[in-house]
Amino acid sequence: MRQITLSRRSVLKAAGIAGAASLMGVNLSPAHAAEAAAKDRTEQLLKDGWHFGHCRMCMRGTCPNLYRVQNGVVVEIMGNPKTPTSKGALCAKGQSIIQNLYNPYRVKTPMKRTNPKKGLSEDPMWVEISWEEAMSTTAGVLKKVRERDPRRFVYTVGFGDMDFFCTFLFYFAGAYGTPNYLKSNGTLCVLHYASDLVHGVFPGVKPDATYAKYILAMGMNLGMGIASSDGGVRGLLDRVVYEKDIKVVCVDPHCGPDASKTEWVPIRPGGELAFMMGVIHSMIFEVKKLDFDFLQWRTNSPYLIGPDGYYARGTDGKPQILDSADGKVKSFDDPTLKTPDIYAVNVDVNGVKATASFVHVKNGFKTYTPEWAAKKSGIPAKKIRQIAKDFIDNASIGETIELMNGKGEKVILPKRTSVCEGKRGIKNMRDGVPADLMTKMMNMLVGSIDVPGGMLGTQRGPYLKPDKDGVVEPKGEARYKDPVYPPQHLNLSEYFPHKHTLPTLAFKVAADPKKYGLEYEVDALLTVGGNPIASTTEPYAVADSVAKIPFSATVAYHYDEMAHMSDILLPCHALLEKESVNCYEGAFDVYTKETVTKKVMMYREPFKPVYNSRQPQDIIIELCERIGMINEFNANVNKTGVMLGEITFAKLPEADKLQPGVRYSIREIWDRGVRSYFHKSLADMAKEGMLVMDLAPADAYNSSWFKKGETRHPVYFERLKKSGDGLRKFFTEYKDKVYLPDFDLDDQLQYYEAVIKWRPKKLTEVKKGDKYDMISINWKTPTSPMRSAGNDQMPYLNEASETFDPAYGKFSINTKTAKEKGIKEGDTIWVESESGKIKGQVHITELIFPDVVGVAGALGRLVDSLGKKAASYPMYNKLTNAKISDCCAVAIGVSNSVPVRIYKA
Ligand SMILES: Nc1nc2c(c(=O)[nH]1)N[C@H]1C(S)=C(S)[C@@H](COP(=O)(O)OP(=O)(O)OC[C@H]3O[C@@H](n4cnc5c(=O)[nH]c(N)nc54)[C@H](O)[C@@H]3O)O[C@H]1N2
Ligand SMILES: Nc1nc2c(c(=O)[nH]1)N[C@H]1C(S)=C(S)[C@@H](COP(=O)(O)OP(=O)(O)OC[C@H]3O[C@@H](n4cnc5c(=O)[nH]c(N)nc54)[C@H](O)[C@@H]3O)O[C@H]1N2
Ligand SMILES: [Mo]
């Protein structure tokens, strides 16, 4: 144990460096510090009792590490210095992985509940049982339920066990035959619709800081605020701090680590859409230097729109374009098309008068002047104009770059160097999808989409494939499907074609399914690394519903809220005990030269289990066998491929397909996947620790697969309008049948429009003198991006957070507001919304917009079985709600910023 004490100091030191650099702006690049310390030591280290691993202290898990074992104890951790992306850095979370292993609050052996009463304040009265009893009880119930009606089983997953999540999220639910596969991660994470609509990718897009010169970040973390150590963020920091050749502007009510190192533009929460409309107005009507060539050939700008708001179609059924070269109206793919007219008005198409999309789009921004936007956003009109001008001036419109493709050919691609992107801070809002579409609009106006320096889809390849109308085909959440009645899914996903995930709604429905038109009730629940109680919203409503489910089991690392409500606990390994593979490609935050062409496949050698736990995938596969569905499970793996990372699927060759009747271990399945994808075995991976694949530079850019005019991005959102029209038809027809509280059809569907308009929302109506006269906001912190790995329990992390981040676990209030309200540093106050209230300590700061309360982190627990510290923090999610009328009208994400009032406790 002495060794642990020693390593504690070195961990704190390292955490201090990484933490301080990202939290406080200390002028030391984590990249350089780590490289200097760790150069070329890898080979020696391995001889010295070090083992290959990779992190998973956050949901990314993309930082390869090395851990050292001495006398059977893990005593030291470091980033793998050979990693081309992270170059051996680890953040404070990654440095704490040893505490994840030796966490005293772990579930150490299978457990059975003996208190039949379930509730957050009930003692489950756990007793230890054998693995055999735990598995046979769980499989026995699940088998019976499946025989009766597989829909009566709910499978809940999340990012808490992402190693597992990556591999078996849908295979198990699919094999079982339940429609109720519920991801708990989505309600507060609606990032996907607009990226799918415009780029045809999942999970999203990110700026290419390899070449970008200007990044406008709207309510998002570029990675520094999450203390992400993976290559992108470190590369970006180097450019910001050392090379000083990139301008980053963070539009945020709160000045976090990203904003503190770049430029912070404080905004009033809720005014984001208005702000972007003001910027776009200025770009179109004042600066007037757009990428017209891109608009003509790479967007649907020239498509003619009929009086019904849809594409006006020719006799061949295709969208039409006016060619100003010869004055003729032509189909979009006519090879004689020379000069697509984006300003065409009142053109005759097949007997109707039609006008070019771009004219509608442009007219749509006419009244949204910077002065107007300033009133809504609190950002001065002058600043709005400056951002519009800087965005265009830095965009390099007209420039090109020559890169090699995978066939060894030189390709000339446009290079654009201004990008705008937003994340949770603007998307988790009533008008979240419209706001997100405006970030895409800014990029499209300067041609900065899937080209070097632009906004890139996280998946690479010919993802911009056009639909039959020649416009990029969405592949996920932007696709539309007509609703059906009665609904089959507990989350009523039939009614919400563009939803991300709806766990809170699902559990509300589960409490009273008949009322919602469902033909079945819920009998059983299995949870793996998901926490619909704590990580989403309306925690008590969800907990009440979970308590009513007759049987519930959790593959549990520790006693979190879902474990607390369970009948059986199946203990899973801690991170270092889990064997794992993970492919880094398309991580979330940002691309740089270190990462843009890389795929890094990493491997974690499992440490000998400390307790009586198991590899989670093998628990699930064994359940499949015991339930009698191993054939279905194997068939699903064969069909979908082996998932090797968040977006990496390995299709198995015929000879390697899983055979019916055989229960494979996860090891064998990964081995087949890795061999198929990387042509190496898992044994090779164990020797090398990681495999690196380099993409040819041109192939990293999705537009390189298509010539001018072959595929187009939508500036006119015809598909969104179509979804709204389809939904209106359904809900009108079924209005007497559908039960959906807090749903106003007209209010909801007005957001489904081809040209986005501004509308006031609850947030924008908050004013002095109201009952709720302030707005609360929440953000991820470097040590608390979410609850994966039990971040909120780790003593090193709590210590580092409270030492380096004065906002951590507290309520940040602007100096001026605090003075007005007579509130002082350290006061204990209540923050109360329509939905709930939380108590905590005040931190007074200039780094937050006036009249806003900032609550940092995904913190707070509703059970004390994770220790007093984790339970002591205020839980932000009590303030929010899942009312459809408050959620994003398209992606149904919870509004994360809400009206509140504060008062002394
Ligand atoms: N206040 C607030 N809430 C948020 C967010 C926020 O920033 N602030 N972020 C939102 C976002 S973007 C997302 S994606 C979601 C994510 O939400 P979820 O997908 O639910 O993921 P987590 O909250 O990370 O973890 C879920 C549960 O798994 C447990 N767990 C930890 N380690 C392990 C393990 O090794 N194995 C198993 N089986 N379980 C483990 C955790 O303690 C936690 O209770 O959260 C959302 N909720
Ligand atoms: N390394 C690493 N990277 C990750 C993750 C991880 O766990 N580790 N998690 C990934 C996941 S699942 C997600 S969803 C993303 C989330 O990534 P982000 O969306 O970037 O995360 P947040 O920090 O929650 O929110 C970003 C910003 O929004 C601001 N904000 C809050 N409310 C408002 C508002 O009303 N208006 C405006 N304008 N801004 C507001 C906050 O101050 C914060 O700075 O990160 C991903 N990236
Ligand atoms: Mo997320």
Side-chain angles (χ1 to χ4, degrees):
M1 295 313 276
R2 236 179 113 232
Q3 287 299 334
I4 294 182
T5 321
L6 271 179
S7 90
R8 179 176 188 274
R9 232 184 288 138
S10 59
V11 168
L12 267 186
K13 213 167 106 204
I17 292 168
S22 53
L23 286 162
M24 307 300 288
V26 170
N27 232 6
L28 174 65
S29 151
H32 297 161
E35 266 169 74
K39 218 173 167 203
D40 293 333
R41 282 174 58 209
T42 318
E43 295 308 319
Q44 184 54 40
L45 291 174
L46 287 171
K47 282 186 212 134
D48 210 22
W50 288 83
H51 302 265
F52 288 119
H54 71 84
C55 197
R56 181 62 80 189
M57 290 297 288
C58 75
M59 56 73 80
R60 300 238 49 85
T62 44
C63 302
N65 61 19
L66 295 167
Y67 65 92
R68 184 162 73 88
V69 179
Q70 192 173 321
N71 301 327
V73 176
V74 179
V75 293
E76 205 174 339
I77 185 83
M78 66 184 287
N80 183 340
K82 269 189 168 171
T83 317
T85 51
S86 69
K87 299 207 174 92
L90 288 181
C91 74
K93 301 180 291 295
Q95 300 283 355
S96 307
I97 200 167
I98 303 174
Q99 295 194 334
N100 173 275
L101 178 66
Y102 297 115
N103 179 358
Y105 297 95
R106 285 182 59 181
V107 179
K108 295 167 187 156
T109 199
M111 290 286 184
K112 181 171 82 178
R113 174 187 209 94
T114 58
N115 179 359
K117 269 184 86 182
K118 289 181 185 170
L120 288 169
S121 46
E122 291 293 335
D123 178 351
M125 294 164 51
W126 298 116
V127 295
E128 292 184 13
I129 52 171
S130 66
W131 266 107
E132 178 50 38
E133 185 182 346
M135 292 297 277
S136 63
T137 309
T138 306
V141 175
L142 297 193
K143 188 166 194 281
K144 259 206 209 119
V145 172
R146 185 167 183 249
E147 279 156 10
R148 182 174 177 196
D149 182 346
R151 295 177 301 177
R152 299 172 83 97
F153 166 64
V154 180
Y155 181 49
T156 302
V157 302
F159 287 152
D161 214 326
M162 183 83 169
D163 281 355
F164 169 83
F165 176 90
C166 264
T167 315
F168 284 120
L169 47 139
F170 31 75
Y171 306 85
F172 180 76
Y176 194 93
T178 178
N180 294 315
Y181 158 64
L182 283 179
K183 291 198 276 179
S184 63
N185 54 305
T187 349
L188 284 168
C189 176
V190 283
L191 307 186
H192 313 292
Y193 175 90
S195 300
D196 190 28
L197 186 76
V198 175
H199 295 250
V201 292
F202 180 88
V205 295
K206 57 183 168 168
D208 180 20
T210 313
Y211 303 104
K213 291 196 281 198
Y214 189 94
I215 299 179
L216 182 64
M218 299 286 313
M220 71 178 283
N221 230 302
L222 281 155
M224 300 174 229
I226 302 182
S228 181
S229 284
D230 80 25
V233 184
R234 304 171 68 253
L236 178 65
L237 253 182
D238 281 349
R239 284 197 61 195
V240 169
V241 179
Y242 298 102
E243 289 150 33
K244 296 188 172 50
D245 60 351
I246 185 166
K247 186 159 176 59
V248 180
V249 176
C250 297
V251 179
D252 203 302
H254 154 247
C255 178
D258 298 71
S260 74
K261 254 168 252 49
T262 55
E263 183 185 340
W264 178 39
V265 176
I267 187 168
R268 186 183 161 79
E272 295 76 9
L273 176 61
F275 162 77
M276 281 187 284
M277 288 175 138
V279 172
I280 295 171
H281 172 99
S282 180
M283 287 168 69
I284 296 180
F285 294 100
E286 297 174 354
V287 189
K288 294 193 255 188
K289 282 190 246 156
L290 306 179
D291 188 341
F292 290 103
D293 188 64
F294 180 85
L295 291 172
Q296 282 178 309
W297 290 104
R298 293 267 183 184
T299 71
N300 67 359
S301 293
Y303 282 27
L304 293 161
I305 303 299
D308 58 0
Y310 287 106
Y311 297 145
R313 293 179 186 271
T315 46
D316 57 1
K318 293 179 180 177
Q320 301 293 297
I321 292 177
L322 177 69
D323 188 346
S324 48
D326 56 12
K328 286 190 184 148
V329 173
K330 300 174 180 175
S331 296
F332 72 91
D333 55 355
D334 187 322
T336 69
L337 187 63
K338 243 196 180 140
T339 317
D341 189 347
I342 63 170
Y343 290 115
V345 286
N346 283 333
V347 181
D348 190 80
V349 179
N350 235 350
V352 301
K353 286 271 177 261
T355 292
S357 294
F358 190 71
V359 176
H360 291 283
V361 173
K362 183 176 170 182
N363 289 344
F365 289 106
K366 213 169 219 158
T367 56
Y368 300 128
T369 60
E371 280 71 21
W372 168 85
K375 279 194 208 122
K376 307 282 177 213
S377 63
I379 300 178
K382 198 172 151 210
K383 186 82 210 171
I384 295 176
R385 288 203 165 87
Q386 188 204 325
I387 289 174
K389 185 170 181 308
D390 289 350
F391 194 78
I392 290 190
D393 286 350
N394 283 291
S396 313
I397 295 171
E399 280 186 30
T400 56
I401 186 170
E402 192 179 90
L403 297 173
M404 294 291 252
N405 70 13
K407 294 184 213 143
E409 301 156 343
K410 284 182 186 161
V411 187
I412 295 177
L413 293 174
K415 177 178 160 192
R416 293 294 176 276
T417 46
S418 283
V419 279
C420 172
E421 166 64 342
K423 280 204 204 154
R424 286 189 352 107
I426 63 159
K427 301 190 196 190
N428 269 94
M429 290 238 177
R430 180 69 177 153
D431 53 12
V433 160
D436 195 5
L437 287 169
M438 287 307 102
T439 66
K440 272 52 178 184
M441 182 67 80
M442 289 193 58
N443 297 329
M444 288 190 281
L445 291 175
V446 299
S448 195
I449 295 253
D450 285 301
V451 295
M455 191 55 72
L456 310 186
T458 44
Q459 290 166 297
R460 316 306 185 81
Y463 279 89
L464 303 177
K465 197 168 121 335
D467 63 11
K468 67 173 186 10
D469 292 336
V471 180
V472 171
E473 171 119 62
K475 293 165 198 70
E477 288 169 26
R479 277 181 310 187
Y480 173 76
K481 214 170 148 197
D482 275 323
V484 289
Y485 187 90
Q488 291 303 305
H489 295 76
L490 275 180
N491 64 2
L492 310 180
S493 58
E494 284 83 357
Y495 302 161
F496 305 111
H498 304 307
K499 62 117 192 28
H500 184 28
T501 77
L502 301 168
T504 312
L505 180 61
F507 282 100
K508 284 184 173 179
V509 173
D512 200 351
K514 278 218 177 72
K515 196 155 89 187
Y516 289 86
L518 260 79
E519 296 154 331
Y520 60 91
E521 296 191 338
V522 177
D523 286 338
L525 169 71
L526 178 67
T527 303
V528 191
N531 195 336
I533 299 177
S535 19
T536 62
T537 183
E538 298 191 41
Y540 297 110
V542 177
D544 285 349
S545 169
V546 172
K548 287 194 194 119
I549 298 175
F551 177 82
S552 153
T554 295
V555 174
Y557 156 72
H558 56 180
Y559 295 91
D560 67 357
E561 289 79 355
M562 294 304 281
H564 188 85
M565 307 294 274
S566 297
D567 296 282
I568 298 283
L569 299 182
L570 305 160
C572 71
H573 289 338
L575 296 173
L576 288 175
E577 297 163 339
K578 292 182 210 181
E579 184 167 30
S580 171
V581 293
N582 187 25
C583 189
Y584 170 98
E585 62 171 322
F588 252 103
D589 310 311
V590 66
Y591 282 118
T592 58
K593 61 179 186 304
E594 291 84 359
T595 61
V596 73
T597 56
K598 293 273 186 294
K599 281 187 187 186
V600 182
M601 181 75 181
M602 51 202 87
Y603 173 78
R604 189 192 301 124
E605 187 185 338
F607 178 64
K608 197 166 100 340
V610 177
Y611 302 112
N612 188 18
S613 60
R614 284 195 185 171
Q615 177 88 11
Q617 295 89 342
D618 287 331
I619 299 177
I620 293 295
I621 300 173
E622 188 178 329
L623 282 177
C624 285
E625 189 181 42
R626 286 176 181 249
I627 295 168
M629 54 187 227
I630 197 74
N631 291 351
E632 290 90 330
F633 178 82
N634 289 354
N636 266 350
V637 177
N638 289 340
K639 195 170 128 218
T640 317
V642 178
M643 212 172 169
L644 297 175
E646 195 178 8
I647 53 170
T648 313
F649 286 87
K651 282 273 183 198
L652 296 180
E654 234 12 82
D656 266 351
K657 290 246 155 91
L658 308 188
Q659 298 305 306
V662 183
R663 177 186 10 139
Y664 296 87
S665 68
I666 187 60
R667 204 154 207 272
E668 290 167 290
I669 297 175
W670 274 333
D671 183 52
R672 288 169 194 229
V674 175
R675 276 195 280 117
S676 145
Y677 202 87
F678 283 91
H679 312 293
K680 295 253 186 171
S681 67
L682 209 58
D684 295 330
M685 289 228 52
K687 268 188 240 140
E688 296 173 35
M690 92 186 94
L691 303 172
V692 181
M693 226 186 211
D694 274 298
L695 286 175
D699 293 350
Y701 299 102
N702 289 349
S703 66
S704 71
W705 300 87
F706 299 92
K707 292 199 192 71
K708 255 179 152 180
E710 272 183 357
T711 189
R712 292 166 177 274
H713 304 277
V715 290
Y716 183 87
F717 309 118
E718 200 221 27
R719 274 181 184 270
L720 182 54
K721 175 180 160 47
K722 210 179 263 171
S723 299
D725 291 347
L727 289 167
R728 183 175 297 279
K729 188 162 164 276
F730 168 82
F731 282 113
T732 310
E733 199 176 327
Y734 286 89
K735 78 173 175 305
D736 299 328
K737 290 215 162 90
V738 169
Y739 173 73
L740 209 50
D742 308 310
F743 177 72
D744 175 334
L745 185 65
D746 290 329
D747 186 63
Q748 185 84 2
L749 296 186
Q750 59 179 339
Y751 291 91
Y752 292 65
E753 56 196 347
V755 175
I756 302 299
K757 287 190 208 61
W758 162 264
R759 297 184 177 83
K761 50 186 182 272
K762 265 192 188 165
L763 221 51
T764 54
E765 301 307 283
V766 173
K767 54 184 183 312
K768 289 215 159 75
D770 287 355
K771 178 174 179 195
Y772 300 111
D773 59 348
M774 294 181 72
I775 295 172
S776 68
I777 67 161
N778 172 246
W779 58 82
K780 295 188 185 320
T781 80
T783 52
S784 179
M786 47 188 70
R787 294 176 174 80
S788 4
N791 281 326
D792 51 347
Q793 284 188 292
M794 302 300 134
Y796 292 166
L797 281 182
N798 287 326
E799 193 178 325
S801 312
E802 289 177 3
T803 309
F804 294 114
D805 184 354
Y808 188 82
K810 296 201 178 133
F811 300 145
S812 298
I813 297 175
N814 183 282
T815 319
K816 189 171 137 255
T817 311
K819 205 167 165 203
E820 278 169 20
K821 302 229 171 228
I823 284 171
K824 294 192 191 59
E825 179 77 25
D827 278 357
T828 302
I829 60 163
W830 284 101
V831 178
E832 183 190 302
S833 74
E834 232 177 32
S835 315
K837 58 180 191 172
I838 52 179
K839 195 161 80 169
Q841 247 183 36
V842 170
H843 167 59
I844 295 176
T845 173
E846 292 289 316
L847 301 182
I848 195 144
F849 200 88
D851 301 323
V852 170
V853 192
V855 185
L859 291 168
R861 294 285 188 167
L862 300 173
V863 287
D864 54 17
S865 43
L866 300 172
K868 284 209 176 82
K869 192 74 191 172
S872 72
Y873 294 115
M875 178 184 269
Y876 185 77
N877 301 351
K878 287 184 193 172
L879 299 179
T880 58
N881 74 74
K883 282 185 195 158
I884 305 297
S885 55
D886 275 349
C887 287
C888 168
V890 180
I892 325 294
V894 163
S895 277
N896 202 30
S897 304
V898 291
V900 292
R901 62 178 178 145
I902 61 170
Y903 48 93
K904 279 198 196 155

